[in-house]
């Protein structure tokens, strides 16, 4: 996705596409590692001399509010961020602490007792041991 397309996307979501905002979105798009604010800040800072951590925080807040990004609370030590896509869940490995994306289909839970509630956020979190760590354990 080119910077121009990202700017258009931000506009469609009522976000003024300032240069740092476009760069932060681009970073999330190209780095599907569920980065923390610090990771985003440290990577972009050398190219964005005027960038502050507050700008990164505020921009991510704005993306989350406008359905462009997900705030992940799967890692109790760090808030992580991710691009929002449909049918995309997260698996956190308790050994290497990596958060993996996975796609799923036929995820259809009936929330019987929440009939009269309005659900605003729905995320699928799984935890366990990833395939790489499982291999290591067998050695
Ligand atoms: Zn692992
Ligand atoms: Zn993800």
């Amino acid at each position: 996705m080119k910077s121009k397309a990202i700017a258009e996307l931000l506009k469609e979501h009522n976000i003024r596409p300032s240069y740092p905002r476009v760069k932060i979105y681009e970073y999330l798009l190209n780095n599907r590692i569920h980065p923390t604010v610090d990771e985003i800040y440290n990577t972009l800072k050398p190219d964005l001399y005027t960038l502050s951590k507050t700008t990164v925080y505020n921009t991510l807040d704005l993306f989350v509010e406008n359905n462009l990004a997900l705030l992940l609370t799967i890692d109790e030590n760090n808030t992580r961020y991710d691009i929002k896509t449909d049918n995309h869940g997260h698996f956190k490995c308790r050994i290497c602490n990596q958060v993996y994306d996975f796609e799923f289909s036929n995820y259809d839970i009936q929330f019987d007792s929440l009939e009269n509630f309005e659900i605003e956020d729905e995320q699928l979190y799984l935890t366990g041991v990833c395939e790489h760590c499982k291999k290591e354990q067998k050695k």
Side-chain angles (χ1 to χ4, degrees), residues 9-10 13 19-20 31 34 38 49 53-54 58 61 70 80 85 88 90 93 95 97-98 101-102 106 109 121 128 132:
L9 183 76
L10 296 187
H13 287 80
Y19 189 66
N31 298 276
H34 311 100
D38 282 350
Y49 180 65
K53 247 184 222 185
T54 313
N58 293 343
D61 269 354
L70 284 173
R80 295 162 176 256
T85 60
H88 147 206
H90 292 100
C93 174
I95 294 175
N97 278 321
Q98 282 245 56
D101 280 337
F102 63 89
N106 300 323
I109 296 177
D121 185 31
H132 309 290

Side-chain angles (χ1 to χ4, degrees), residues 93-98 100 128-134:
C93 174
R94 67 173 162 78
I95 294 175
C96 64
N97 278 321
Q98 282 245 56
Y100 296 88
V129 181
C130 76
E131 57 177 345
H132 309 290
C133 293
K134 252 181 90 175

Side-chain angles (χ1 to χ4, degrees), residues 15-30:
I15 299 170
R16 194 174 56 81
S18 66
Y19 189 66
R21 288 174 180 170
V22 170
K23 282 288 157 199
I24 291 168
Y25 190 85
E26 191 179 39
Y27 178 85
L28 284 179
L29 197 64
N30 296 333

Side-chain angles (χ1 to χ4, degrees), residues 25-73:
Y25 190 85
E26 191 179 39
Y27 178 85
L28 284 179
L29 197 64
N30 296 333
N31 298 276
R32 302 294 303 270
I33 55 167
H34 311 100
T36 62
V37 167
D38 282 350
E39 280 172 321
I40 299 170
Y41 173 80
N42 291 332
T43 312
L44 295 181
K45 181 71 179 168
D47 294 326
L48 272 170
Y49 180 65
T50 54
L51 189 70
S52 69
K53 247 184 222 185
T54 313
T55 305
V56 178
Y57 267 111
N58 293 343
T59 301
L60 291 166
D61 269 354
L62 207 59
F63 288 173
V64 171
E65 270 170 35
N66 290 285
N67 272 319
L68 285 172
L70 284 173
L71 187 153
L72 306 182
T73 50

